[in-house]
Amino acid sequence: MVQVAVMGHGVVGSGVVEVLTSHAESIAKRAKEEINIKYILDIREFPDSPLADRFTKNFEDILNDEEVKVVAEVMGGVNPAYDFVKRCLQAGKSVVTSNKELVAKKGAELLAIAQEKNANFLFEASVGGGIPIIRPMSQCLAANDVIEIAGILNGTTNFILTKMIREQMPFADALKMAQELGYAERNPKADIEGDDACRKICILASLAYGKHIYPDYVNTKGITEITLDDVLYADAWGGVVKLIGQVKKLADGKVDITVEPMFIERSSQLAGIDDVFNGILVRGDATGDVVFYGKGAGKLPTASAVVADIIDCVKHLSARKYLGWADGSESDVEPYANTIMSVYVRAESNNTKLAFEKATELFIGVKPLTRNGAKENEFAFTTGDMKESDIEKAIKALEDNGIKVLSKIRISDL
Ligand code: HSE
């Protein structure tokens, strides 16, 4: 029998306990060992839990118990998770986590400690909730050079955008629903401002390219400025608005990485991924496009990935699985201002005809975009390919000419 501990008894943590207990028999068959939850760490009391006797508020109970071989960290956040995970690894315990913030910010260091101590540090649940993506990328696609990864990586924002697109539901109401369903982060700013998706694309980029890409290096924009008007323009253009995390390897070895809302053509494989579902497209040089699809958030989908990692650790208690990347630096990332893209722009002017003419002078390849029910002073257009810094200059010049720019959204090449 292998003793494990679960740190955190929130949405995911309680799911991990539920899956481990409800599937105990089949899990034991797959792990070739019975798995027993010896401790559950939480500062709150759970007197009604059937495992009430396993709860502790003291991390040292877990750290100092040599019987505990595998620890699941499902607390979220960097503090105190980082300290706890680091000390468990230093003590030679394997750790599995669903904590994307921890992996995105401290992954290189924790992976190095795991390697030094011959322990495992696994994080399948940190990206895509219940979708298998870390293991397929590190094992099944290992023969490929990854040309590009692009995905809808945040269930909460995808749920909100879907409600806005399909039901014209206001942003705030859709966010409240996502919180009630247990999809959103404790602080939903991390979802709606793009940080959660950024952490996930950083993990995938680090895995694919072997160097830690830190979230601070990544252009990150969320969906807080997306309005129902933009959603309707996207529809008139022939697509939908989605929050996309995207990374590409450039010829000079740098990565071009971003998280931002994008117009996606209806024919794209990512356009039909709705509600809480995530979709991740991995473009390999040998495989071509491979798309992973499933529930990207929620108690049991995420818990299922955590428990799969626990099983893997139990099967590899003495033989470490190689999974990891080296440390990285900002020079690994291409500045966003150099990125070539086309955009949709929505603006307001008392003379929309003149304003549109001005736009055609300032931007390359301007095409008007119209929609039913447009406001009187409103006009919109799409551009051809331009450098991001030139787009910003043109937007500033529009504003200097008294034209109010209301939205600018990238048009995806997916
Ligand atoms: N808040 C996250 C999401 C949870 O909505 O995708 C899963 O990582």
Side-chain angles (χ1 to χ4, degrees), residues 52-93:
D53 58 329
R54 323 280 171 94
F55 278 83
T56 174
K57 292 181 179 161
N58 187 0
F59 166 68
E60 310 289 328
D61 289 344
I62 295 169
L63 184 69
N64 297 330
D65 189 331
E66 284 188 9
E67 274 189 0
V68 173
K69 301 291 182 207
V70 182
V71 179
E73 184 278 304
V74 280
M75 306 161 71
V78 172
N79 293 311
Y82 167 57
D83 179 53
F84 290 179
V85 168
K86 191 170 166 176
R87 289 165 71 196
C88 285
L89 290 171
Q90 282 167 336
K93 299 181 194 298

Side-chain angles (χ1 to χ4, degrees), residues 109-178:
E109 182 190 349
L110 296 171
L111 285 159
I113 299 171
Q115 185 167 9
E116 187 194 321
K117 297 292 175 183
N118 202 31
N120 283 298
F121 179 54
L122 304 182
F123 41 88
E124 183 61 65
S126 66
V127 181
I131 308 172
I133 179 68
I134 302 292
R135 210 169 262 95
M137 275 192 59
S138 64
Q139 295 179 359
C140 317
L141 297 174
N144 283 260
D145 279 343
V146 175
I147 298 165
E148 176 174 355
I149 306 167
I152 294 168
L153 298 165
N154 181 268
T156 300
T157 45
N158 206 36
F159 180 84
I160 294 171
L161 288 171
T162 304
K163 290 283 173 201
M164 287 173 75
I165 293 166
R166 291 230 195 110
E167 300 168 29
Q168 269 79 57
M169 185 184 281
F171 184 97
D173 294 0
L175 173 59
K176 193 159 170 277
M177 277 183 81

Side-chain angles (χ1 to χ4, degrees), residues 103 106-115 119-123 134-135 137-139 202-213 320-327:
V103 181
K106 303 286 183 187
E109 182 190 349
L110 296 171
L111 285 159
I113 299 171
Q115 185 167 9
N120 283 298
F121 179 54
L122 304 182
F123 41 88
I134 302 292
R135 210 169 262 95
M137 275 192 59
S138 64
Q139 295 179 359
C202 284
I203 295 170
L204 296 180
S206 305
L207 193 60
Y209 301 124
K211 282 183 191 167
H212 196 124
I213 307 291
R320 184 176 182 268
K321 289 179 65 128
Y322 181 76
L323 174 69
W325 54 77
D327 204 3

Side-chain angles (χ1 to χ4, degrees), residues 100 126 129 153-157 183-185 191 196 200 278 296-297 302:
K100 47 264 153 131
S126 66
L153 298 165
N154 181 268
T156 300
T157 45
Y183 301 155
E185 296 300 296
D191 296 299
D196 180 74
K200 292 167 178 166
N278 284 189
T302 311

